[in-house]
Amino acid sequence: MNLVINDVIDSLSAVILEKPEQIKLAICSLLCRGHLLIEDLPGMGKTTLSHSLADVLGLSYRRVQFTSDLLPSDITGTSIFNREQQSFEFHPGPVFTQVLLADEINRASPKTQSALLESMEEHQVTIDGESHKLPSPFFVIATQNPQHQSGTYPLPESQLDRFFMRISLGYPSEAAEAQLIHQAGIPRASVKTQQVIDSDALLKFQQKIPLITLSDAVVSYILRLITYTRNSGMFSDPLSPRASIALASASRAYAFINGRDFVIPDDVQAVFTSVCAHRLGVTSTNETQLKLQIFDNVPVH
């Protein structure tokens, strides 16, 4: 395994207990300059993961609690008239950070949800016709409550597609939950995750991902997986070319995390559901079934 990335995973694992694979996938998304959607019940550690990830990478962090009355300008910022200067001044919103936690994104109205689209895709926001660049790196972690909970607005397919990956943390084991109970009430400052690398090192890692070797055989495997979703008749929204590119990129990042400069089919399989399930409209509870069905029908060679 990449030694530096291994240190990052170890540091996060001290806070997010017994979830090494979810931590890997979150780092994988960040290395690919993608954005992460976490779908889970409240209180499962989504906020802790996002804040700790910012701490360990030395990145600035902001959190926005999405509610039904949240306005787009509450996220992006707004122009306010300065009487002394007799001109409008732009006051940046919380999106101007390196790690943004959009907490419970599906509790806000569709109009407010869409306010994140430009920033996620273009790394900028436009206010009154003027574009404002966001910091680099820029990483959005959005959390989503299950749709059966009251007061939620399902994310449209076009916005779901903007998220590079979707993961779920799930319930902790009994031993891990016992440890969480013992730690309850301890001030966050005393258990803050220690910084392992800085933003410059992260940017260098991001630049290495496209250089990871992707053989013709692995590309062929990726294409067979994508084509199966289009030809099987199982999915109303089969995977697009954007999904195939994301799957290849995520496979490269997963290989890099594991200390290799080339991709193997195991890398593709490890990231497949996180990259593709939400694009196919498959709920997080049915991801295992999706994986088994597709992998059984699409040979590696």
Side-chain angles (χ1 to χ4, degrees):
M1 180 177 286
N2 183 294
L3 295 179
V4 177
I5 299 297
N6 190 43
D7 289 342
V8 171
I9 293 172
D10 288 344
S11 184
L12 289 171
S13 295
V15 180
I16 309 298
L17 305 177
E18 299 182 358
K19 302 294 180 182
E21 193 60 26
Q22 288 91 331
I23 291 172
K24 270 189 180 183
L25 292 171
I27 295 172
C28 183
S29 183
L30 180 56
L31 289 174
C32 294
R33 307 174 192 265
H35 304 290
L36 181 67
L37 180 64
I38 306 178
E39 183 176 280
D40 239 323
L41 293 167
M44 303 296 278
K46 302 184 292 292
T47 303
T48 302
L49 172 60
S50 59
H51 205 161
S52 299
L53 190 61
D55 287 342
V56 77
L57 300 175
L59 304 177
S60 59
Y61 170 85
R62 299 288 297 274
R63 174 181 178 270
V64 178
Q65 177 64 54
F66 278 60
T67 57
S68 58
D69 59 350
L70 190 74
L71 299 175
S73 59
D74 295 330
I75 301 169
T76 59
T78 188
S79 293
I80 298 177
F81 187 72
N82 186 321
R83 291 185 178 180
E84 294 182 359
Q85 300 293 330
Q86 289 296 297
S87 62
F88 283 93
E89 291 181 352
F90 176 64
H91 290 250
V95 74
F96 285 85
T97 187
Q98 292 174 311
V99 176
L100 175 69
L101 173 61
D103 208 5
E104 298 184 309
I105 188 174
N106 59 338
R107 290 201 178 278
S109 68
K111 183 176 182 180
T112 301
Q113 291 175 4
S114 65
L116 275 179
L117 282 178
E118 182 188 12
S119 60
M120 290 170 61
E121 194 73 15
E122 305 295 337
H123 289 199
Q124 67 178 24
V125 298
T126 302
I127 305 293
D128 297 331
E130 184 178 353
S131 296
H132 304 271
K133 291 290 185 182
L134 296 173
S136 182
F138 176 65
F139 185 42
V140 173
I141 302 176
T143 71
Q144 176 173 252
N145 292 336
Q147 292 182 15
H148 68 266
Q149 294 198 337
S150 60
T152 59
Y153 299 83
L155 295 176
E157 289 79 2
S158 60
Q159 188 163 341
L160 279 172
D161 194 43
R162 295 302 195 278
F163 286 99
F164 187 79
M165 281 185 168
R166 182 188 68 188
I167 65 171
S168 296
L169 295 176
Y171 290 109
S173 68
E174 188 172 315
E177 192 161 1
Q179 188 172 341
L180 292 173
I181 292 171
H182 283 299
Q183 294 175 349
I186 299 176
R188 172 171 170 75
S190 62
V191 294
K192 182 177 179 181
T193 309
Q194 295 299 310
Q195 180 178 342
V196 175
I197 63 174
D198 58 20
S199 58
D200 290 339
L202 175 60
L203 289 170
K204 290 178 181 178
F205 284 150
Q206 289 177 334
Q207 292 167 0
K208 291 181 179 180
I209 300 305
L211 305 179
I212 302 297
T213 300
L214 198 64
S215 68
D216 290 343
V218 173
V219 171
S220 178
Y221 180 49
I222 290 173
L223 289 174
R224 289 198 301 275
L225 291 170
I226 299 295
T227 302
Y228 180 80
T229 69
R230 299 171 184 170
N231 297 339
S232 65
M234 293 172 52
F235 308 101
S236 58
D237 296 307
L239 296 174
S240 68
R242 177 185 288 166
S244 61
I245 293 170
L247 183 57
S249 181
S251 301
R252 280 182 159 127
Y254 200 84
F256 176 79
I257 289 172
N258 285 283
R260 280 181 278 102
D261 61 359
F262 59 92
V263 177
I264 60 176
D266 287 351
D267 299 322
V268 179
Q269 294 182 352
V271 300
F272 179 81
T273 53
S274 296
V275 172
C276 300
H278 63 290
R279 292 180 163 96
L280 291 169
V282 176
T283 63
S284 56
T285 54
N286 293 326
E287 285 182 357
T288 301
Q289 182 180 354
L290 169 72
K291 182 189 296 187
L292 292 174
Q293 185 161 11
I294 291 183
F295 291 166
D296 285 348
N297 285 282
V298 180
V300 173
H301 302 292

